[in-house]
Amino acid sequence: MQQEIFVTGAGIVSALGTDKRETLAALRSRRSGVGMLRYLHTSHTEFPVGEVKMTNEEMMCRLHIPETETTTRTSLMGMLAVREAVEQARLQETRDLRIALVSGTTVGGMDKSEQYYLDFLANDTRNAYIATHDCGACTEMIADYFGLFSMVDTISTACSSAANALMLGSMLIRDGRADIAVAGGSECITKFHLNGFNTLMILDRAPCRPFDAARAGLNLGEGAAYVVLESERTYRLRHVDPLCRFSGCANACDAYHQTATSPEGEGAFRAMTMALRAAQLKPEDIDYINAHGTGTQDNDLSEGIAIQRVFGNDIPSVSSTKAFTGHTTSAAGGVEAVISLLALAHNFIPVNLHFSTPMAELRFTPATDEKTAKPLRHILSNSFGFGGNDTSLILSKI
């Protein structure tokens, strides 16, 4: 029998707030964090984004990091989210257990390298930031801040990165390579980020409308979220209470296209089907799907078709929370796992903001009325990345 994995701590930083309490309040009051650009210095101010409402300096102050220390926005957001998760799980009190940090990111420290690129060419005053550019450096900075981790790993699979980090964290525990895993992801908005998605012509100049017939693209977001994963043996040994069960996960890659999703949703279909099998659940056991739901033409149609293939005519409540947070790209799997955890704990379904017109191709419409929520037992959360790298996670009430 496969060893069960539990969540004992969670932390989140996003456009909705800097902890779980603020995030929950925003979700319950239907308050989106998406707005006009404020912190990223770019000429493309026409695109709404979901920015974390803090400067780097404010985050450093909150973390008690000296102003002279070399940091990046991705690592700072990660530190804040990991700290909340670690404190809830009481990991600071843990001794003699192997704790892994698995973090997903793709942008990494690009915010600083693009900011100081001309300095790199002209002089040596900002060379310290060269070493912070790659994805692994951000994970190392987070790990160094806490000094808790015996193993550190970085996942970079675009928008499924953080979900894959959770999947790897659970595998490390089941394989006996770690006793506890802190897993999730962090990603900041950069010019490269914004310009890249703009080049793909998938940014909406208005608030995004996932699963709406008039959807016109996504809103970029940023943030970080992590959960503490461990077995029943370790949480009982440490005398902490589990928040939920991490009951299933799966990854599938359909390799259909570098950026586009397959029309039949093959990768999404396989990921959801295998996650259900891993959790030993049937489709009818799922009470809510936190969809990838980016608001782009291709994703929402492809994911919607895949959901219909898996669930037939008995489709559970579905919503995308990206209209709340923006698309946090590599952090999305962590951000939406923590949002799903909050929904599970408080028995509510986050609404699908800005929805008005059903898609003719789909047999379902997303949830728009929180009052229709029923007690939740199992939540499936989807995160789909470029190249068809698709991951589904299932969280279950204990």
Side-chain angles (χ1 to χ4, degrees):
M1 184 176 177
Q2 193 177 56
Q3 181 178 209
E4 289 189 319
I5 305 296
F6 297 85
V7 177
T8 56
I12 185 169
V13 174
S14 76
L16 297 182
T18 57
D19 57 28
K20 294 191 295 295
R21 180 186 59 80
E22 292 178 359
T23 302
L24 178 62
L27 292 168
R28 298 303 294 262
S29 63
R30 306 185 183 204
R31 174 176 52 80
S32 173
V34 174
M36 302 317 295
L37 273 163
R38 178 178 171 188
Y39 297 98
L40 179 68
H41 300 295
T42 173
S43 59
H44 286 297
T45 56
E46 68 271 27
F47 297 114
V49 295
E51 288 181 298
V52 171
K53 309 300 189 293
M54 297 178 74
T55 65
N56 287 13
E57 290 72 25
E58 288 169 334
M59 285 190 272
M60 291 175 75
C61 181
R62 185 175 289 196
L63 291 160
H64 307 292
I65 295 174
E67 292 182 9
T68 54
E69 191 164 324
T70 301
T71 58
T72 64
R73 191 167 178 84
T74 295
S75 61
L76 290 169
M77 291 188 299
M79 291 171 195
L80 288 170
V82 168
R83 184 171 69 176
E84 185 184 16
V86 163
E87 289 178 352
Q88 183 174 26
R90 305 209 313 264
L91 288 188
Q92 307 98 316
E93 306 167 18
T94 301
R95 298 290 183 271
D96 303 321
L97 290 175
R98 298 163 301 163
I99 306 174
L101 173 65
V102 188
S103 184
T105 187
T106 301
V107 164
M110 197 178 293
D111 61 318
K112 291 298 185 182
S113 52
E114 69 182 15
Q115 180 181 349
Y116 295 127
Y117 175 69
L118 295 177
D119 291 276
F120 298 157
L121 296 178
N123 56 63
D124 295 326
T125 61
R126 301 289 184 176
N127 280 6
Y129 288 101
I130 295 175
T132 68
H133 173 87
D134 69 271
C135 298
C138 289
T139 309
E140 294 286 353
M141 281 190 280
I142 296 169
D144 289 346
Y145 178 79
F146 293 96
L148 285 172
F149 304 106
S150 59
M151 178 190 301
V152 176
D153 204 352
T154 304
I155 300 287
S156 186
T157 55
C159 303
S160 58
S161 298
N164 284 333
L166 268 71
M167 186 172 176
L168 178 57
S170 70
M171 292 168 65
L172 292 173
I173 296 169
R174 287 192 173 115
D175 291 346
R177 298 180 62 190
D179 299 306
I180 299 170
V182 178
S186 184
E187 191 99 297
C188 72
I189 299 175
T190 66
K191 293 180 185 178
F192 173 86
H193 217 174
L194 193 68
N195 294 343
F197 279 89
N198 188 31
T199 300
L200 291 172
M201 296 184 288
I202 55 173
L203 292 180
D204 197 341
R205 294 176 185 240
C208 69
R209 292 151 283 175
F211 295 107
D212 193 283
R215 65 196 184 282
L218 60 86
N219 304 141
L220 273 179
E222 64 179 2
Y226 295 82
V227 299
V228 178
L229 301 173
E230 57 185 304
S231 67
E232 183 176 4
R233 180 187 69 84
T234 59
Y235 83 68
R236 289 192 182 281
L237 179 69
R238 300 190 314 106
H239 305 291
V240 297
D241 296 323
L243 305 176
C244 71
R245 191 167 72 251
F246 185 76
S247 55
C249 56
N251 172 267
C253 186
D254 62 21
Y256 172 76
H257 187 271
Q258 283 184 317
T259 57
T261 53
S262 68
E264 303 82 18
E266 187 62 27
F269 169 78
R270 292 183 186 182
M272 288 187 280
T273 301
M274 291 190 297
L276 285 166
R277 189 180 306 134
Q280 298 182 322
L281 295 173
K282 299 176 181 178
E284 56 266 31
D285 293 324
I286 299 297
D287 300 302
Y288 165 54
I289 301 171
N290 184 289
H292 189 56
T294 60
T296 62
Q297 287 288 325
D298 286 351
N299 176 87
D300 294 6
L301 178 57
S302 175
E303 184 176 12
I305 289 172
I307 288 171
Q308 291 179 167
R309 289 177 63 188
V310 175
F311 293 91
N313 293 320
D314 189 19
I315 297 173
S317 298
V318 178
S319 73
S320 167
T321 50
K322 287 182 172 64
F324 281 99
T325 62
H327 187 356
T328 57
T329 54
S330 291
V335 167
E336 289 157 24
V338 174
I339 287 174
S340 296
L341 189 155
L342 293 172
L344 192 67
H346 297 275
N347 289 307
F348 80 101
I349 293 171
V351 299
N352 197 103
L353 293 176
H354 312 312
F355 175 82
S356 61
T357 308
M359 293 170 57
E361 303 92 337
L362 301 182
R363 299 191 301 271
F364 68 91
T365 57
T368 57
D369 186 359
E370 176 194 317
K371 295 177 183 177
T372 62
K374 58 183 178 180
L376 302 177
R377 300 163 300 155
H378 306 285
I379 293 178
L380 185 148
S381 182
N382 287 333
S383 296
F384 304 148
F386 282 165
N389 193 302
D390 300 333
T391 299
S392 295
L393 312 175
I394 298 177
L395 301 179
S396 300
K397 193 166 287 180
I398 299 171

